[in-house]
Amino acid sequence: MLSALTALIFAATPLKVGDKAPDFTLMDQDGKPVTLSKVLENGPVILAFYPKAFTPGCTKQNSNFRDKYGDVAGKGAQVFGVSVDDVATQKRFKDELKLPYSLLSDPGGTVSKQYGGTMPLVGVASRANFVIGQDGKVAQVVEGSDAVDPNSAIAACPMKKKS
């Protein structure tokens, strides 16, 4: 029998390259539902998980994606920031940083746990960028402090498939 701590640590196995990305629907900063499988119809997706809005590392991660968004759009891809922050907080964070992409609210961290996990005891998303191709498969995972810099995620992002 697993101890409670062991169960907590191994509750979710982080995704790796080649895995099928779990589909989900989360509310964006405007309270509108965003479903991964639907947005993948429009091109590849980078999910940028971050622990908490308005903290230094998360502000830098999102500002860096904002500043490189032209490179993302040039591939026909999209970025979605994801944290356990509520919709209203996501709205304020997006507006303050003038982000050209949506922020998704993952209350309770359900989606965060399916992807990179959450930080034990505090329940916030672990910092990670997941590049997902239009086929729904994970093309790259960048974790921890390396995820503050979007360059490797953008470089690994496949071009949008021509329809």
Side-chain angles (χ1 to χ4, degrees):
M1 179 195 257
L2 294 174
S3 71
L5 180 58
T6 304
L8 175 69
I9 292 169
F10 295 104
T13 303
L15 294 174
K16 56 189 179 306
V17 172
D19 287 349
K20 182 80 172 161
D23 198 15
F24 62 81
T25 300
L26 293 174
M27 295 298 163
D28 72 6
Q29 71 283 336
D30 298 319
K32 295 180 182 165
V34 174
T35 301
L36 179 62
S37 57
K38 294 289 183 200
V39 297
L40 284 172
E41 292 172 5
N42 298 320
V45 168
I46 299 173
L47 296 176
F49 287 86
Y50 59 96
K52 193 91 175 118
F54 298 104
T55 58
C58 300
T59 297
K60 187 171 184 176
Q61 180 182 7
N62 280 283
S63 295
N64 288 342
F65 268 109
R66 175 198 63 211
D67 296 347
K68 294 283 189 170
Y69 195 75
D71 295 341
V72 175
K75 291 189 165 202
Q78 305 163 81
V79 173
F80 292 91
V82 185
S83 77
V84 299
D85 293 300
D86 62 30
V87 169
T89 301
Q90 297 289 49
K91 174 86 170 134
R92 288 192 315 275
F93 195 45
K94 177 182 166 61
D95 290 348
E96 183 171 302
L97 295 180
K98 296 177 175 52
L99 300 176
Y101 55 87
S102 292
L103 299 180
L104 306 180
S105 177
D106 181 21
T110 304
V111 174
S112 298
K113 288 174 190 164
Q114 289 179 309
Y115 279 76
T118 56
M119 294 181 197
L121 307 177
V122 291
V124 297
S126 297
R127 185 180 321 281
N129 299 326
F130 289 85
V131 178
I132 304 169
Q134 282 183 271
D135 60 1
K137 291 187 179 171
V138 176
Q140 188 188 46
V141 179
V142 182
E143 298 177 281
S145 61
D146 291 343
V148 171
D149 181 350
N151 287 319
S152 61
I154 294 168
C157 189
M159 294 291 289
K160 178 179 179 177
K161 292 179 184 173
K162 304 223 189 272
S163 38

